[in-house]
Protein backbone atom coordinates (compact mmCIF):
# COMPACT_ATOMS: atom_id res chain seq x y z
CA UNK A 1 0.00 0.00 0.00
CA UNK A 2 1.28 3.42 -0.94
CA UNK A 3 1.83 5.35 2.33
CA UNK A 4 3.78 8.26 0.91
CA UNK A 5 2.71 11.57 2.55
CA UNK A 6 0.20 13.67 0.77
CA UNK A 7 1.04 17.34 0.43
CA UNK A 8 -1.53 19.47 2.25
CA UNK A 9 -3.77 21.62 0.16
CA UNK A 10 -2.37 25.11 -0.03
CA UNK A 11 -4.78 27.94 0.76
CA UNK A 12 -5.06 30.49 -2.02
CA UNK A 13 -3.00 33.60 -1.44
CA UNK A 14 -5.02 36.70 -0.66
CA UNK A 15 -4.99 39.45 -3.23
CA UNK A 16 -2.29 42.03 -2.65
CA UNK A 17 -3.56 45.06 -0.76
CA UNK A 18 -2.11 48.32 -1.99
CA UNK A 19 -0.19 50.19 0.70
CA UNK A 20 -0.79 53.96 0.68
CA UNK A 21 2.11 56.37 0.63
CA UNK A 22 2.14 57.34 4.30
CA UNK A 23 4.38 60.31 3.59
CA UNK A 24 1.48 61.84 1.67
CA UNK A 25 -1.61 60.47 3.41
CA UNK A 26 -0.75 60.24 7.10
CA UNK A 27 -2.65 62.89 9.08
CA UNK A 28 -0.70 65.54 10.90
CA UNK A 29 -0.57 64.80 14.65
CA UNK A 30 -2.43 67.24 16.85
CA UNK A 31 -0.17 69.65 18.75
CA UNK A 32 0.19 68.67 22.39
CA UNK A 33 0.15 71.08 25.32
CA UNK A 34 2.77 69.04 27.15
CA UNK A 35 6.47 69.07 26.24
CA UNK A 36 7.72 66.47 23.80
CA UNK A 37 11.17 64.98 23.58
CA UNK A 38 13.04 68.14 22.67
CA UNK A 39 11.98 70.01 25.82
CA UNK A 40 12.33 67.12 28.26
CA UNK A 41 15.58 68.32 29.80
CA UNK A 42 14.19 71.82 30.41
CA UNK A 43 10.97 70.42 31.86
CA UNK A 44 12.90 68.19 34.24
CA UNK A 45 14.97 71.16 35.40
CA UNK A 46 11.82 73.18 36.13
CA UNK A 47 9.87 70.41 37.82
CA UNK A 48 12.90 69.08 39.68
CA UNK A 49 14.04 72.46 41.04
CA UNK A 50 17.50 72.09 39.51
CA UNK A 51 19.95 74.70 40.87
CA UNK A 52 19.74 77.89 38.89
CA UNK A 53 23.39 78.75 38.49
CA UNK A 54 26.14 76.44 37.29
CA UNK A 55 29.33 78.46 37.60
CA UNK A 56 28.70 80.74 40.58
CA UNK A 57 30.39 83.68 38.85
CA UNK A 58 28.12 86.64 39.40
CA UNK A 59 24.89 84.82 38.66
CA UNK A 60 23.28 84.87 42.11
CA UNK A 61 20.92 87.66 40.98
CA UNK A 62 19.17 85.08 38.77
CA UNK A 63 18.05 82.87 41.64
CA UNK A 64 15.01 84.86 42.72
CA UNK A 65 13.51 85.42 39.26
CA UNK A 66 14.19 81.80 38.29
CA UNK A 67 12.34 80.55 41.35
CA UNK A 68 9.39 82.77 40.41
CA UNK A 69 9.45 81.49 36.81
CA UNK A 70 9.58 77.85 37.90
CA UNK A 71 6.75 78.36 40.39
CA UNK A 72 4.60 80.05 37.74
CA UNK A 73 5.18 77.19 35.27
CA UNK A 74 4.38 74.53 37.85
CA UNK A 75 1.20 76.40 38.85
CA UNK A 76 0.10 76.68 35.21
CA UNK A 77 0.46 80.47 35.07
CA UNK A 78 2.15 80.27 31.69
CA UNK A 79 1.57 83.86 30.55
CA UNK A 80 3.08 85.14 33.77
CA UNK A 81 6.03 82.78 33.37
CA UNK A 82 6.56 83.95 29.79
CA UNK A 83 6.71 87.60 30.83
CA UNK A 84 9.10 86.85 33.68
CA UNK A 85 11.32 84.79 31.40
CA UNK A 86 11.54 87.56 28.79
CA UNK A 87 12.59 90.12 31.39
CA UNK A 88 15.06 87.77 33.04
CA UNK A 89 16.71 86.88 29.74
CA UNK A 90 17.11 90.58 28.91
CA UNK A 91 18.56 91.37 32.36
CA UNK A 92 20.93 88.39 32.28
CA UNK A 93 22.15 89.13 28.75
CA UNK A 94 22.84 92.74 29.71
CA UNK A 95 24.81 91.73 32.79
CA UNK A 96 26.58 88.60 31.56
CA UNK A 97 26.64 88.80 27.78
CA UNK A 98 24.30 87.18 25.25
CA UNK A 99 26.21 83.88 25.04
CA UNK A 100 26.96 83.34 28.72
CA UNK A 101 26.02 79.75 29.72
CA UNK A 102 23.32 80.96 32.12
CA UNK A 103 21.83 83.23 29.46
CA UNK A 104 21.66 80.30 27.07
CA UNK A 105 19.93 78.20 29.73
CA UNK A 106 17.44 80.97 30.31
CA UNK A 107 16.75 81.20 26.59
CA UNK A 108 16.08 77.46 26.55
CA UNK A 109 13.59 78.00 29.35
CA UNK A 110 11.96 80.87 27.45
CA UNK A 111 11.59 78.61 24.40
CA UNK A 112 9.98 75.89 26.50
CA UNK A 113 7.55 78.36 28.05
CA UNK A 114 6.67 79.75 24.60
CA UNK A 115 5.85 76.20 23.51
CA UNK A 116 3.64 75.69 26.56
CA UNK A 117 1.95 79.03 25.85
CA UNK A 118 0.92 77.86 22.38
CA UNK A 119 3.50 79.93 20.49
CA UNK A 120 5.44 77.27 18.56
CA UNK A 121 6.85 79.82 16.12
CA UNK A 122 8.69 81.70 18.88
CA UNK A 123 9.74 78.44 20.51
CA UNK A 124 11.14 77.28 17.18
CA UNK A 125 13.18 80.41 16.49
CA UNK A 126 14.59 80.57 20.03
CA UNK A 127 15.58 76.91 19.91
CA UNK A 128 17.11 77.03 16.44
CA UNK A 129 19.13 80.15 17.32
CA UNK A 130 20.46 78.32 20.37
CA UNK A 131 21.33 75.31 18.23
CA UNK A 132 23.35 77.53 15.89
CA UNK A 133 25.24 79.07 18.83
CA UNK A 134 26.02 75.65 20.33
CA UNK A 135 27.00 74.30 16.93
CA UNK A 136 29.37 77.23 16.43
CA UNK A 137 30.88 76.49 19.85
CA UNK A 138 31.38 72.83 18.82
CA UNK A 139 29.03 71.57 21.53
CA UNK A 140 27.39 68.83 19.51
CA UNK A 141 25.31 67.39 22.35
CA UNK A 142 23.78 70.71 23.40
CA UNK A 143 23.25 71.73 19.76
CA UNK A 144 21.37 68.53 19.05
CA UNK A 145 19.21 69.01 22.15
CA UNK A 146 18.24 72.45 20.84
CA UNK A 147 17.55 71.01 17.39
CA UNK A 148 15.20 68.50 19.00
CA UNK A 149 13.41 71.33 20.79
CA UNK A 150 13.11 73.24 17.52
CA UNK A 151 11.74 70.11 15.85
CA UNK A 152 9.14 69.71 18.61
CA UNK A 153 7.98 73.28 18.09
CA UNK A 154 8.05 72.91 14.30
CA UNK A 155 5.70 69.93 14.43
CA UNK A 156 3.14 72.11 16.20
CA UNK A 157 3.13 74.68 13.34
CA UNK A 158 -0.01 73.89 11.37
CA UNK A 159 0.31 76.13 8.29
CA UNK A 160 2.01 74.03 5.58
CA UNK A 161 3.72 76.92 3.79
CA UNK A 162 5.15 78.25 7.04
CA UNK A 163 6.11 74.74 8.05
CA UNK A 164 8.06 74.25 4.84
CA UNK A 165 10.05 77.46 5.33
CA UNK A 166 10.90 76.59 8.93
CA UNK A 167 11.59 72.98 8.05
CA UNK A 168 14.22 73.89 5.47
CA UNK A 169 16.17 75.90 8.04
CA UNK A 170 15.81 73.14 10.62
CA UNK A 171 16.88 70.34 8.32
CA UNK A 172 19.83 72.30 6.92
CA UNK A 173 21.32 72.70 10.41
CA UNK A 174 20.31 69.19 11.44
CA UNK A 175 22.11 67.78 8.40
CA UNK A 176 25.25 69.71 9.35
CA UNK A 177 25.17 68.08 12.78
CA UNK A 178 25.04 64.61 11.24
CA UNK A 179 28.33 65.34 9.45
CA UNK A 180 30.11 65.57 12.81
CA UNK A 181 30.58 63.24 15.74
CA UNK A 182 27.73 63.48 18.21
CA UNK A 183 24.23 62.25 19.05
CA UNK A 184 22.72 63.45 15.76
CA UNK A 185 24.71 60.79 13.92
CA UNK A 186 23.38 58.05 16.21
CA UNK A 187 19.78 59.24 15.86
CA UNK A 188 19.50 59.56 12.09
CA UNK A 189 15.95 58.15 12.02
CA UNK A 190 14.75 61.35 13.67
CA UNK A 191 16.11 63.37 10.76
CA UNK A 192 14.42 61.01 8.31
CA UNK A 193 11.15 61.53 10.18
CA UNK A 194 11.54 65.29 9.76
CA UNK A 195 12.18 64.86 6.05
CA UNK A 196 9.06 62.71 5.78
CA UNK A 197 7.05 65.50 7.37
CA UNK A 198 8.42 67.87 4.74
CA UNK A 199 6.90 65.56 2.14
CA UNK A 200 3.52 65.70 3.86
CA UNK A 201 3.70 69.48 4.16
CA UNK A 202 4.56 69.77 0.47
CA UNK A 203 1.52 67.71 -0.46
CA UNK A 204 -0.75 69.72 1.85
CA UNK A 205 0.55 72.99 0.41
CA UNK A 206 -0.04 71.67 -3.14
CA UNK A 207 -3.63 70.68 -2.33
CA UNK A 208 -4.29 74.04 -0.66
CA UNK A 209 -3.09 75.85 -3.78
CA UNK A 210 -5.42 73.94 -6.13
Amino acid sequence: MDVSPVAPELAPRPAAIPIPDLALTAPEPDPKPTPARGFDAVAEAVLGDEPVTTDGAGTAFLIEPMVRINDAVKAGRIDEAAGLAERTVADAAGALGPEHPEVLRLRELAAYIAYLAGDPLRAFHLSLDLARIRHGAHDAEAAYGNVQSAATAWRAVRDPEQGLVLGRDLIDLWTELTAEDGPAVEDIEELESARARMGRLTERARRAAE
Side-chain angles (χ1 to χ4, degrees):
M1 183 175 62
D2 185 1
V3 292
S4 58
V6 178
E9 181 179 356
L10 298 177
R13 292 185 179 180
I17 301 175
I19 300 175
D21 186 348
L22 296 180
L24 299 179
T25 62
E28 285 289 313
D30 292 333
K32 304 296 182 184
T34 53
R37 175 181 177 185
F39 290 112
D40 282 350
V42 185
E44 288 171 6
V46 172
L47 299 177
D49 293 321
E50 184 177 289
V52 176
T53 60
T54 56
D55 62 5
T59 58
F61 73 98
L62 296 175
I63 294 176
E64 189 271 337
M66 281 294 293
V67 169
R68 291 173 61 201
I69 293 168
N70 287 5
D71 287 347
V73 171
K74 287 186 284 188
R77 303 191 306 272
I78 303 304
D79 289 342
E80 177 186 339
L84 287 168
E86 290 294 326
R87 291 193 294 274
T88 305
V89 167
D91 291 344
L96 304 171
E99 296 188 10
H100 186 281
E102 293 304 328
V103 176
L104 299 183
R105 292 183 71 212
L106 281 165
R107 291 174 67 184
E108 286 179 333
L109 179 58
Y112 167 61
I113 293 170
Y115 179 74
L116 292 181
D119 190 353
L121 189 60
R122 176 162 178 74
F124 173 88
H125 285 301
L126 285 170
S127 297
L128 198 64
D129 285 346
L130 285 165
R132 291 190 178 107
I133 292 171
R134 262 64 184 267
H135 180 46
H138 307 290
D139 187 343
E141 184 172 352
Y144 186 57
N146 295 141
V147 159
Q148 284 292 306
S149 295
T152 296
W154 173 61
R155 292 186 182 101
V157 174
R158 314 313 300 164
D159 179 77
E161 292 286 354
Q162 190 173 50
L164 286 170
V165 173
L166 301 179
R168 291 185 194 105
D169 289 341
L170 173 66
I171 289 173
D172 283 349
L173 180 56
W174 201 335
T175 302
E176 288 183 31
L177 293 180
T178 63
E180 304 173 0
D181 291 335
V185 180
E186 302 165 2
D187 205 15
I188 198 69
E189 65 274 9
E190 286 291 313
L191 176 56
E192 294 308 315
S193 175
R195 287 174 172 153
R197 184 180 189 239
M198 288 292 283
R200 296 193 297 273
L201 290 172
T202 299
E203 177 62 15
R204 285 175 54 202
R206 182 191 65 76
R207 290 199 303 267
E210 289 178 348

